Amino acid sequence: MPADDQSRAFLPMRPYAALTRMFSSRQHIAVQAGSRFARIMLARREGRSLRIERLLVIDLQANGLLTPGELATHLRGVLATLPTVPVTVTLQPGRTHSQVLELKPGDPLAAEWLAQAVGGRQFDQILSVYDARPLRPFPGHPHPQWVTIARDADVTIQLMRCGLDPERTAHVVSADAALVAAYNATSRAGDPTSAVLVEIGSDASTLVVIEEGQGVFAANFDLGTASLIAALAVDLDCSLPEAERILVREGAAASGPATPRLVTALARWRNAFENVLKEHARETGRSPEPLLAHPRRFSGALLANAGIRALFASTADLVPVQDWPDVPSSEGEPVNASGCAIACGATAIGLDLAPTSVDLLPATSRTARSAARRIGWLHVAGLAIAATGLLFAANTLWQRSVSIEAKETRLELLQRARDAGPQLTDTLAARDQAYREAVPLLYFQKRTRDFVAATRLLREQRKHPGFWFALVADSETYHANSLPRGTPAATPETQLLRNCLARPTGLVVELSLAPGGGDQLGKISTLVTELRASPLFSGVDILPARARQSLADRSVFSSGDGFALSLETPTFEHFLPPPATPGTTSGGLFAQ
């Protein structure tokens, strides 16, 4: 059964499961069910680090969970109290076999051949599950592949013991793959890139060699803490539970002359550990000393106790032994990974905090999970389509409501305008009448301003010697050839304002030139040029002799008649409305 492409999604078999996945992708659950203890870890990803939110360690014997059915019922109840997030299940040590083999480049059947090489004859005789992942090249292996194989029955039984259906499991990983992931996920700056990891279970131990941050060798040997507890029970002539309590309490101090069988059991475990490393060195053609000198990390259920870790550390002699680092926990104090390394690695795999690992989920489970994923996405797509339709309908109704409201507002405004029409017409008519009455006053006001400004400007022109102003008069008076008599108050207002806009504007100035003043025409030309440069006048010209009037007394002229200048000012711009025709109405919107 070749391993197909694996997805990191966990899709529970219920409607809209994909939506659940969207909101829970930063949490993960690891379930590790061994022969003596079971661990359930709920962890969260925070950046590139792991945070434990809840860790449960269950003693199977103390809780009377002796059969797979009892354990499944208990774990199912525990999982029901946790968030519905992806789950990764780890297989028991000794239930898998992993090996690094060379991949034949370009061979499509290479993965299957590698699995046959690892599984041997059992691959053809027993239904198995396998997977392979490429490694970075290292000495002697230009195209390495990490291949892991397990019996399909072992995977199914472990899923059943954990209370999970195969369709509801995101990943199934081996113990060695979880140890490698835990090492990479919890390593800190300055930690060695090569090490030997040992998970010490009750009846067996799993050994993994790490080089340059990746696993290159894994093996199991059938010795664990149970053999040490049994030996101590014989030495002290006590029960196994009592021997375990003493071992946990005393730690390394329990090993000594008074407990020869414990010393022998510990030496037997050490010899088995070192023999595995020496055998690996012999098969790969390497010297065993570098492998034996790698720093060691011990983990396991009982190794959460520092005394038990010290007991196994005593077997290393001069080889450095490193404790697993502490992992932040939301429950309080940080948790040392020595007691839950495999669970940490499983959650790191599920949260993508470690390189992609082999996945031993059975093909039937993968097919069911893919179907569940497709159904989930169909639910999401259907929900999205329905939501889009509802949004479109709501938007259409909203736009129609807004349009109706806008039309009602416009109709209301139009009705108000229609009601205000007659009053507005009267107001406009009154405004026009007031403007008509004010226009003559505005006109004469302009003429007065122009006259005052012009005389001020002419006074400034007296800086030129050789002439003087004999007469300054407005154009209307000058061309009428008659000076006004009396005062303006003596003139009736109606006569003063009548037909005012048709009256000429501007000034006429007569100049007398001093005798012997040189170039008289040049002086007049200079004066005309300077007056034309002023924005006050729209035109400045010399008045022809035939247009001159005899208003000024001749005695003010030195000799001759001098010159006369016509100074035109801008016309008065008004906005008088056309006169209304009697008997007509405005019509249109305000017609009654």
Side-chain angles (χ1 to χ4, degrees):
M1 293 178 292
D4 55 2
D5 294 337
Q6 301 303 309
S7 169
R8 296 293 175 192
F10 170 66
L11 300 171
M13 298 297 292
R14 65 176 186 276
Y16 315 118
L19 291 177
T20 303
R21 166 62 179 165
M22 291 179 185
F23 295 101
S24 61
S25 58
R26 299 184 65 84
Q27 287 183 307
H28 203 83
I29 291 177
V31 179
Q32 176 191 358
S35 59
R36 171 71 189 282
F37 293 94
R39 298 177 189 82
I40 296 179
M41 177 183 291
L42 172 64
R44 175 183 293 276
R45 174 175 180 165
E46 293 184 349
R48 294 299 305 171
S49 62
L50 186 73
R51 171 174 287 273
I52 298 175
E53 294 195 338
R54 192 172 180 185
L55 176 62
L56 302 174
V57 180
I58 304 169
D59 189 328
L60 304 187
Q61 295 180 1
N63 288 274
L65 306 175
L66 305 180
T67 65
E70 293 172 342
L71 177 60
T73 301
H74 184 81
L75 294 184
R76 193 179 295 115
V78 173
L79 290 173
T81 64
L82 301 178
T84 305
V85 296
V87 177
T88 293
V89 175
T90 62
L91 297 178
Q92 297 185 66
R95 299 297 181 179
T96 61
H97 182 68
S98 299
Q99 190 171 343
V100 176
L101 295 177
E102 280 295 304
L103 172 66
K104 299 177 181 179
D107 191 342
L109 298 179
E112 186 174 355
W113 288 349
L114 291 177
Q116 289 178 346
V118 173
R121 295 181 180 179
Q122 292 185 357
F123 184 81
D124 297 325
Q125 299 174 0
I126 301 175
L127 197 61
S128 302
V129 181
Y130 70 90
D131 196 9
R133 288 290 184 269
L135 299 177
R136 297 189 304 275
F138 58 93
H141 293 276
H143 306 287
Q145 288 274 337
W146 181 275
V147 185
T148 301
I149 189 170
R151 294 192 308 168
D152 185 271
D154 290 336
V155 176
T156 303
I157 291 174
Q158 184 69 351
L159 292 175
M160 182 186 67
R161 293 179 71 236
C162 295
L164 293 169
D165 296 328
E167 297 83 357
R168 299 191 59 181
T169 306
H171 307 285
V172 175
V173 298
S174 59
D176 49 63
L179 286 174
V180 174
Y183 185 82
N184 288 319
T186 60
S187 291
R188 303 168 182 172
D191 285 352
T193 57
S194 300
V196 177
L197 313 180
V198 187
E199 173 74 13
I200 305 172
S202 177
D203 301 318
S205 299
T206 298
L207 177 151
V208 180
V209 177
I210 302 284
E211 292 185 351
E212 299 301 327
Q214 62 181 2
V216 297
F217 173 70
N220 302 298
F221 56 94
D222 296 331
L223 286 175
T225 57
S227 61
L228 303 183
I229 294 172
L232 183 60
V234 173
D235 286 333
L236 302 180
D237 192 20
C238 63
S239 64
L240 293 177
E242 180 64 22
E244 180 177 342
R245 286 192 292 271
I246 294 173
L247 191 63
V248 169
R249 184 179 65 249
E250 300 295 335
S255 176
T259 55
R261 290 178 178 80
L262 175 60
V263 173
T264 302
L266 198 59
R268 189 184 306 114
W269 183 92
R270 170 185 174 178
N271 292 336
F273 165 76
E274 293 182 349
N275 287 337
V276 171
L277 291 179
K278 292 176 182 178
E279 182 66 18
H280 171 62
R282 185 184 63 79
E283 291 178 354
T284 56
R286 301 171 57 183
S287 172
E289 281 73 16
L291 286 177
L292 294 173
H294 279 342
R296 300 173 187 179
R297 286 189 181 182
F298 300 113
S299 60
L302 291 181
L303 277 80
N305 178 271
I308 302 296
R309 293 200 300 273
L311 177 65
F312 281 95
S314 65
T315 65
D317 292 337
L318 299 178
V319 178
V321 177
Q322 297 178 339
D323 272 348
W324 284 83
D326 292 337
V327 179
S329 174
S330 300
E331 294 183 315
E333 295 294 328
V335 176
N336 188 268
S338 299
C340 56
I342 291 181
C344 286
T347 53
I349 291 172
L351 293 171
D352 293 328
L353 290 174
T356 304
S357 175
V358 293
D359 194 349
L360 299 177
L361 194 65
T364 54
S365 301
R366 296 172 184 174
T367 302
R369 188 178 64 182
S370 297
R373 184 167 60 251
R374 287 193 295 270
I375 293 174
W377 283 115
L378 285 176
H379 289 158
V380 173
L383 205 61
I385 293 173
T388 303
L390 289 175
L391 288 176
F392 179 78
N395 183 63
T396 301
L397 291 176
W398 177 76
Q399 289 182 348
R400 180 168 297 182
S401 173
V402 170
S403 177
I404 292 174
E405 184 177 354
K407 290 179 180 179
E408 291 177 349
T409 302
R410 287 196 296 270
L411 287 175
E412 182 179 357
L413 292 176
L414 288 173
Q415 185 62 38
R416 291 180 182 178
R418 181 182 178 89
D419 296 341
Q423 181 181 358
L424 180 61
T425 302
D426 296 339
T427 302
L428 292 175
R431 185 202 64 178
D432 293 343
Q433 181 61 30
Y435 185 69
R436 290 190 189 96
E437 295 174 357
V439 161
L441 299 176
L442 296 175
Y443 167 73
F444 280 107
Q445 186 183 51
K446 176 185 181 303
R447 285 187 59 175
T448 302
R449 287 199 308 269
D450 291 345
F451 186 83
V452 172
T455 54
R456 184 183 298 113
L457 181 61
L458 292 174
R459 185 171 62 251
E460 294 175 357
Q461 297 302 321
R462 288 292 295 129
K463 64 184 178 180
H464 301 288
F467 71 89
W468 62 83
F469 298 111
L471 174 68
V472 178
D474 63 276
S475 297
E476 180 182 8
T477 301
Y478 187 84
H479 291 297
N481 196 20
S482 64
L483 294 174
R485 304 297 180 182
T487 62
T491 304
E493 183 180 358
T494 54
Q495 182 180 354
L496 180 66
L497 301 180
R498 183 184 300 119
N499 204 21
C500 65
L501 298 180
R503 298 177 182 181
T505 63
L507 302 176
V508 174
V509 179
E510 291 187 354
L511 297 90
S512 177
L513 301 175
D519 185 8
Q520 296 181 349
L521 290 178
K523 295 178 180 179
I524 297 301
S525 178
T526 300
L527 178 61
V528 169
T529 301
E530 292 181 359
L531 292 177
R532 284 178 176 174
S534 173
L536 180 61
F537 303 116
S538 61
V540 179
D541 293 299
I542 299 176
L543 194 67
R546 63 178 180 273
R548 294 185 61 178
Q549 306 294 333
S550 56
L551 294 178
D553 190 346
R554 294 294 94 190
S555 62
V556 299
F557 293 92
S558 62
S559 63
D561 294 332
F563 290 88
L565 301 180
S566 175
L567 309 178
E568 298 179 1
T569 57
T571 59
F572 175 67
E573 296 183 0
H574 65 86
F575 301 95
L576 283 175
T581 303
T584 61
T585 59
S586 59
L589 176 65
F590 306 121
Q592 298 296 328

